[in-house]
């Protein structure tokens, strides 16, 4: 049970600000009479008629293909038992939230007051026209076996009892990886279980299908060892594991066991039992909230034990959320008629394989830091690993197609994976064409040598690992080799210095003399002595990177993840300088918001730019958007709205507008205006019907850096879920970009691809 404080917090969470955890949101506008006519009468008739012609059209014209029914009668709610259908509703709503959060699937939760298996089957089967799939939840054994079996026979959509199969998939993935860590052969191990309910039997069934010999399994439950001839009815799923034995208790069969799998009750595995197990025992104590043996008790009894539990406060949490959203995602996306054992095995392998990859930055953020890599304390991915959807859903979809149960096969599996990436990285759709061009340029030998000045920084290393894997650039790391090697190992990365990445060592590099003398020659009349040039070139990493770009040892540069923006810009200016014809630097950021993509400038450089400077970097920003296949629509922002106020920025922005129209007459631009007028064409047309700007502006030009930076950070955090691309440095005489301390791994990757694009387009 939770503590009183936790209990009240949980109750408040469920009650406020709106009771419950789910709601229904419309996917289409309903703001006019025309919208009403299309959504309901008479327009809805057209969709109905198309479904009559071909039932598969239901997946085109309704939400059925993205809708899962989470259904329970509340007879076996985890940790609570038979609490009934109504009391189970908070659990089912919780399941709905997880489907939506992790896989973008919609859910109706349905709680049914029925305990008769046949009647329950009839009710659920009758719901088939509503759903793309059915997730059965918290139905007690042995009825759950019968209900699922009959529903699968009657229904032509996936039916999945998560307590059985979801648990089995996650437990088996951890089981396979645990065997890898302890170095034992699945064919030669002894497995002892505590618990013989639906979940435990499903786990054993899948483990056997993955190679575990049935005869190597010993099952115990509340009545002791499952043996042949034991009094009482044994369902077939349990009877298959019955042994000819005189052993009657868990303690009698635990000796020399390699693996213990517990899905029963807290405290059943005693320390003295653990001491009898084989060398390097693997204990999966999955009872909640109290495991069959607590990790601290197990470690005290055996220092060579490896543990997994169902709790998030211990290493190796085995949690069903690792699989069920993504299994349904893959199954529904191919129109699967059922979920086969092959699809379950594909999901198991995908989960197990992901644990062996380096940890993701989102996992580190959710769980308080990096440092985990595949091994005794990291056997299975964390639930918040965003890569789960792009590993499991395609594996399940592929298996469904191979097993002939897909009614809507996916022809382009790579394209499907790219689409799923949008669940992980919201910038994915926007960046996809840029990535494709960058990869092509690398393949064709284009300019792709990008130097990362903070090469030892964690986010940079993780980004570079992805850049190498996806062949987006040829990275150069500025960093000390020993430190780089140490951190690569610590973070579980696979980078090979001198093979995957070039290294520029600030402490010892053959080019050092050339670098500092070049710097001195540029700066000798600006107060920099030879000695100072030597020292600065050793300790200023952005200076090193800028010099490399200046001398042609790199084609572009990424810096700024540590330190202030202006400190980095100083060294860029000293070594690279402004491009011909440019008189000012400026920064632009692109925000990928829910309903629009918006760029803002200037966000980092100019405290109080004049009209000429604003005009210059506005035109440059518009060119940048055009490069990214966005038609620029520019709004010059001010507190003044077309002369409505005496704000100091008004005349400046009006003058900037005049200059822009003279220098770029084809550019859609207007101002000065309020930000709401910039984004709302109807509001703007009421204020100024003859505005030269049509539609919603996508490039917002602020009158000074304070306005730009504040607007950017507010929008990024409040409306953009921190999904941004940039900052783009404009005005420099080379493709170099200064990021910020808040830059994510994905943002570093995105800016690298854009830098490659710029390096080859001049």
């Amino acid at each position: 049970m939770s503590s009183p404080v936790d209990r009240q917090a949980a109750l408040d969470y469920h009650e406020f600000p709106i009771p419950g955890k789910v709601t229904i949101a419309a996917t289409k506008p309903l703001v006019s009479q025309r919208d009403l006519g299309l959504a309901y009468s008479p327009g809805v008739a057209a969709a109905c008629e198309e479904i009559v012609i071909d039932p598969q059209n239901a997946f085109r014209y309704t939400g059925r293909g993205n809708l899962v029914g989470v259904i329970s009668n509340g007879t076996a709610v985890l940790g609570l038992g038979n609490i009934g259908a109504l009391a189970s509703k908070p659990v089912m709503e919780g399941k709905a939230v997880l489907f939506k959060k992790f896989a973008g699937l919609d859910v109706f939760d349905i709680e049914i007051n029925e305990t008769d298996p046949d009647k329950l089957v009839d009710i659920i089967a009758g719901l088939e026209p509503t759903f793309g799939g059915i997730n059965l939840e918290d139905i007690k054994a042995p009825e759950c076996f019968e209900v699922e079996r009959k529903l699968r026979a009657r229904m032509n959509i996936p039916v999945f009892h998560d307590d059985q199969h979801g648990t089995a998939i996650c437990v088996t993935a951890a089981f396979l990886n645990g065997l890898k860590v302890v170095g034992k052969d699945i064919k030669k191990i002894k497995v002892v279980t505590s618990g013989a309910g639906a979940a435990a039997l499903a786990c054993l069934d899948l483990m056997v299908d993955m190679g575990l010999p049935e005869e190597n399994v010993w099952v115990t439950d509340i009545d002791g060892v499952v043996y042949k001839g034991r009094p009482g009815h044994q369902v077939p799923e349990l009877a298959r594991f019955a042994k000819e034995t005189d052993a009657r208790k868990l303690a009698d069969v635990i000796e020399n066991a390699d693996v213990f799998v517990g899905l029963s009750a807290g405290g059943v595995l005693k320390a003295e039992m653990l001491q009898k197990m084989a060398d390097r025992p693997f204990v999966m104590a999955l009872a909640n909230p109290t495991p069959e043996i607590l990790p601290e008790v197990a470690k005290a009894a055996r220092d060579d034990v490896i543990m997994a539990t169902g709790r998030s406060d211990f290493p190796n949490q085995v949690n069903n959320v690792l699989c069920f959203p993504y299994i349904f995602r893959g199954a529904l996306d191919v129109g699967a008629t059922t979920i086969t054992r092959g699809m379950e095995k594909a999901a198991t392998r995908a989960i197990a394989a992901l644990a062996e990859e380096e940890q993701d930055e989102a996992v580190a953020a959710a769980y308080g830091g990096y440092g985990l890599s595949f091994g005794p304390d990291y056997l299975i991915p964390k639930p918040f690993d965003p890569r789960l959807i792009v590993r499991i859903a395609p594996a399940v979809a592929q298996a469904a197609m191979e097993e002939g149960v897909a009614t809507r096969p996916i022809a382009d599996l790579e394209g499907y994976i790219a689409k799923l990436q949008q669940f992980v990285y919201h910038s994915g759709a926007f960046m996809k064409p840029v990535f494709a061009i960058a990869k092509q340029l690398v393949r064709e030998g284009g300019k792709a040598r990008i130097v990362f000045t903070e090469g030892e920084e964690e986010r940079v290393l993780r980004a570079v690992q992805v850049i190498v894997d996806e062949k987006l650039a040829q990275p150069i790391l500025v960093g000390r080799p020993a430190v780089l090697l140490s951190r690569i190992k610590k973070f579980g990365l696979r980078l090979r210095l001198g093979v995957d990445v070039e290294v520029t060592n600030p402490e010892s590099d053959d080019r050092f003399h050339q670098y500092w003398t070049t710097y001195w020659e540029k700066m000798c009349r600006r107060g920099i002595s030879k000695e100072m040039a030597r020292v600065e070139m050793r300790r200023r990493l952005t200076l090193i990177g800028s010099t490399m770009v200046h001398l042609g040892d790199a084609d572009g540069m990424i810096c700024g993840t540590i330190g202030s923006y202006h400190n980095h810009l100083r060294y860029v200016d000293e070594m690279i300088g402004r491009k011909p014809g440019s008189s000012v630097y400026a920064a632009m950021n692109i925000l990928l918001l829910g309903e629009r993509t918006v760029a803002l400038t200037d966000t980092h450089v100019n405290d109080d730019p004049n009209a000429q400077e604003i005009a210059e970097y506005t035109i440059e920003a518009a060119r940048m958007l055009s490069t990214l296949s966005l038609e620029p629509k520019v709004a010059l922002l001010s507190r003044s709205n077309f002369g409505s106020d005496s704000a100091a920025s008004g005349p400046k922005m009006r003058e900037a507008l005049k200059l822009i129209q003279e220098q770029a007459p084809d550019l859609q631009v207007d101002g000065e205006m309020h930000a709401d007028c910039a984004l709302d064409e109807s509001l703007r047309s009421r204020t100024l019907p003859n505005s030269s700007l049509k539609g919603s502006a996508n490039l917002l030009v602020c009158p000074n850096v304070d306005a730009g930076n504040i607007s950017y950070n507010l929008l990024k955090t409040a409306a953009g879920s921190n999904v941004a691309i940039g900052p783009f440095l404009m005005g420099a005489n080379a493709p170099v970009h200064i990021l910020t301390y808040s830059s994510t791994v994905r943002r570093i990757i995105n800016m690298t691809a854009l830098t490659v694009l710029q390096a080859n387009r001049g």
Side-chain angles (χ1 to χ4, degrees):
M1 293 292 292
S2 59
S3 71
V5 174
D6 290 337
R7 180 180 179 82
Q8 188 57 51
L11 291 174
D12 289 346
Y13 177 88
H14 283 79
E15 184 176 0
F16 303 110
I18 298 171
K21 297 191 287 284
V22 294
T23 188
I24 293 176
T27 61
K28 304 292 190 297
L30 196 61
V31 296
S32 66
Q33 181 63 38
R34 181 176 185 275
D35 292 340
L36 183 61
L38 292 171
Y40 198 55
S41 180
V44 73
C48 295
E49 290 165 350
E50 290 299 312
I51 295 169
V52 171
I53 295 169
D54 181 359
Q56 284 293 313
N57 282 331
F59 297 104
R60 294 180 61 188
Y61 301 119
T62 77
R64 185 181 182 224
N66 200 59
L67 185 60
V68 175
V70 172
I71 301 178
S72 179
N73 64 0
T75 54
V77 178
L78 181 65
L80 299 172
N82 187 355
I83 60 174
L86 181 60
S88 75
K89 187 171 180 65
V91 180
M92 302 312 124
E93 285 190 354
K95 200 83 171 189
V97 170
L98 296 177
F99 269 108
K100 188 67 174 180
K101 165 69 176 177
F102 291 110
L105 289 165
D106 297 315
V107 165
F108 291 159
D109 64 284
I110 298 179
E111 296 73 34
I112 301 174
N113 257 332
E114 184 56 70
T115 57
D116 180 279
D118 288 328
K119 291 182 179 179
L120 190 60
V121 167
D122 286 340
I123 294 168
I124 298 171
L127 298 171
E128 182 169 351
T130 301
F131 297 108
I134 299 291
N135 183 92
L136 300 175
E137 193 78 15
D138 294 345
I139 301 171
K140 73 180 182 72
E143 288 89 339
C144 62
F145 298 115
E146 179 184 353
V147 169
E148 185 193 46
R149 185 164 51 246
K150 289 182 177 179
L151 287 173
R152 285 191 169 190
R154 288 177 59 173
M155 301 181 80
N156 207 36
I157 57 175
V159 177
F160 188 78
H161 185 207
D162 187 46
D163 299 322
Q164 291 183 61
H165 308 299
T167 301
I169 289 165
C170 296
V171 170
T172 303
F175 169 73
L176 295 174
N177 281 352
L179 293 183
K180 282 187 180 181
V181 170
V182 299
K184 294 185 178 181
D185 186 344
I186 193 172
K187 300 289 187 184
K188 299 177 182 179
I189 58 170
K190 177 182 178 181
V191 175
V192 174
T193 76
S194 175
L201 293 175
C203 290
L204 290 175
D205 191 39
L206 184 55
M207 289 176 183
V208 168
D209 270 7
M210 299 297 285
L212 175 64
E214 188 175 298
E215 60 271 18
N216 292 10
V217 178
W218 294 76
V219 179
T220 70
D221 60 13
I222 195 170
D223 297 317
V225 175
V226 176
Y227 61 90
K228 289 186 178 179
R230 192 173 81 163
H233 174 69
Q234 292 183 17
V235 295
E237 290 85 356
L238 177 59
R240 65 184 288 202
F241 295 107
K243 294 284 191 295
E244 289 279 4
T245 180
D246 294 329
R248 294 295 182 262
K249 298 179 181 179
L250 174 60
D252 299 334
V253 296
I254 197 68
E255 188 170 357
N256 292 323
D258 298 283
V259 180
F260 171 84
V261 180
L263 286 150
S264 55
V268 300
L269 182 65
K270 308 300 182 184
E272 54 269 26
M273 297 181 192
L274 178 57
Q275 289 170 346
K276 296 181 185 179
M277 291 181 69
D279 291 340
R280 301 203 79 193
F282 179 30
V283 173
M284 305 179 75
L286 305 175
N288 257 323
T290 305
E292 285 79 3
I293 187 169
L294 288 166
E296 57 265 32
V297 176
K299 293 288 186 182
R302 293 285 297 265
D303 59 9
D304 62 342
V305 67
I306 292 176
M307 286 283 299
T309 71
R311 283 176 39 166
S312 60
D313 53 344
F314 297 132
N316 298 322
Q317 181 194 20
V318 179
N319 191 318
N320 287 15
V321 76
L322 287 175
C323 72
F324 69 80
Y326 316 114
I327 288 173
F328 273 95
R329 180 78 274 164
L332 266 62
D333 287 343
V334 295
T337 56
T338 188
I339 292 179
T340 66
R341 178 45 58 93
M343 293 160 73
E344 293 174 4
K345 291 168 75 172
T348 302
R349 294 190 190 98
I351 292 170
L354 180 56
E356 296 191 65
E357 297 183 29
E358 60 270 9
Q359 194 180 140
D360 181 84
E361 78 162 327
V363 177
Y367 293 93
Y370 294 116
L372 288 179
S373 58
F374 182 69
D377 291 329
Y378 191 62
L379 299 174
I380 193 165
K382 298 289 189 180
F384 279 94
D385 194 319
R387 298 167 296 180
L388 286 162
I389 192 170
V390 294
R391 301 293 192 275
I392 300 174
V396 169
Q398 179 71 45
M401 292 187 288
E402 290 173 355
E403 300 207 336
V405 298
T407 61
R408 300 189 304 278
I410 296 171
D412 180 9
L413 204 61
E414 287 190 9
Y416 174 60
I417 293 171
K419 183 179 178 181
L420 291 174
Q421 287 275 6
Q422 295 176 41
F423 285 101
V424 182
Y425 306 114
H426 296 288
S427 60
F430 183 87
M431 290 300 302
K432 183 179 177 181
V434 177
F435 279 14
I437 295 170
K439 291 177 181 180
Q440 182 179 356
L441 290 167
V442 172
R443 285 196 304 269
E444 294 175 354
K447 296 178 180 179
R449 299 169 302 158
I450 308 301
V451 58
F452 298 83
T453 62
E454 293 99 29
E456 297 174 3
E457 210 275 329
E458 295 171 356
R459 288 166 295 160
V460 172
L461 284 170
R462 292 184 179 281
V464 168
Q465 181 68 71
V466 176
I467 291 162
V468 168
D469 290 344
E470 298 191 12
K471 298 180 174 59
L472 291 171
Q474 297 167 2
I476 305 168
L477 296 177
V478 177
R480 296 159 292 178
V483 175
L484 291 171
L485 287 170
S486 173
R487 294 188 176 183
I488 287 168
K489 182 179 180 181
K490 177 182 177 181
F491 306 139
L493 305 177
R494 295 164 280 106
L495 294 172
R496 298 168 297 171
L497 303 186
V499 178
D500 300 318
V501 296
E502 182 184 332
V503 176
T504 297
N505 182 358
E507 294 182 341
S508 176
D509 193 287
D510 292 341
R511 299 166 292 185
F512 177 70
H513 183 271
Q514 181 190 14
Y515 287 178
W516 77 255
T517 54
T518 301
Y519 178 55
W520 175 74
E521 287 167 1
K522 273 183 161 286
M523 300 296 294
C524 62
R525 292 182 180 272
R526 293 168 62 181
I528 299 295
S529 65
K530 287 187 176 181
E531 185 56 36
M532 188 178 293
R534 289 191 191 95
V535 171
E536 290 289 272
M537 191 58 70
R538 290 285 191 197
R539 65 181 183 174
R540 307 298 183 188
L541 304 182
T542 297
L543 179 57
I544 295 173
S546 298
T547 305
M548 293 182 71
V549 173
H550 172 69
L551 292 174
D553 290 342
D555 301 312
M557 180 177 73
I558 298 291
C559 64
T561 58
I562 299 172
S564 74
Y565 195 96
H566 280 272
N567 283 343
H568 292 283
L569 182 58
R570 168 190 165 188
Y571 298 114
V572 171
D573 183 53
E574 288 176 350
M575 287 307 302
I576 295 173
R578 291 188 291 270
K579 64 183 178 182
S582 179
S583 64
V584 65
Y585 296 107
M588 177 181 75
N589 280 277
I590 296 176
L591 288 164
L592 307 180
L593 307 178
E595 297 181 356
R596 54 170 57 91
T597 296
V598 176
L600 285 94
T601 191
D602 170 35
T603 55
H604 288 87
V605 181
N606 298 285
D607 288 337
D608 188 18
N610 59 40
Q612 290 79 11
E613 291 170 334
I614 291 172
E616 180 180 318
Y617 63 66
T618 297
I619 293 170
E620 179 68 15
R623 290 195 189 109
M624 185 77 72
L625 290 188
S626 296
T627 300
L628 297 173
S629 301
L630 290 174
E631 179 188 0
K633 297 184 178 184
V634 186
L636 305 178
L637 303 184
S638 171
R639 195 180 80 204
S640 173
N641 198 34
F642 301 113
S644 68
D645 200 295
S646 60
S649 60
K652 180 170 68 173
M653 300 310 267
R654 286 196 293 273
E655 177 63 20
L657 173 65
K658 180 181 177 182
L659 293 170
I660 294 167
Q661 289 174 330
E662 289 173 357
Q663 297 170 33
D666 295 331
L667 182 61
Q668 270 201 66
V669 57
D670 207 344
E672 84 285 9
M673 69 178 74
H674 289 170
D676 53 357
C677 280
L679 299 177
D680 187 340
E681 183 179 26
S682 62
L683 181 60
R684 185 168 66 250
S685 64
R686 291 200 299 272
T687 307
L688 191 73
N690 63 347
S691 173
S692 56
L693 179 62
K694 305 301 178 184
S696 178
N698 59 9
L699 175 55
L700 307 181
V701 182
C702 296
N704 56 52
V705 76
D706 282 352
N709 192 269
I710 291 168
S711 299
Y712 163 65
N713 283 297
L714 278 173
L715 283 171
K716 180 183 69 169
T717 305
S721 301
N722 201 33
V723 182
I725 300 173
F728 297 79
L729 178 61
M730 300 180 294
N733 195 29
V736 299
H737 296 294
I738 303 169
L739 307 189
T740 64
Y741 73 93
S742 65
S743 295
T744 62
V745 169
R746 180 51 47 170
R747 202 177 303 167
I748 296 169
I749 296 166
N750 289 341
M751 291 306 296
T752 301
L754 285 161
T755 305
V756 170
L757 190 65
Q758 283 183 283
N760 287 274
R761 289 187 173 177

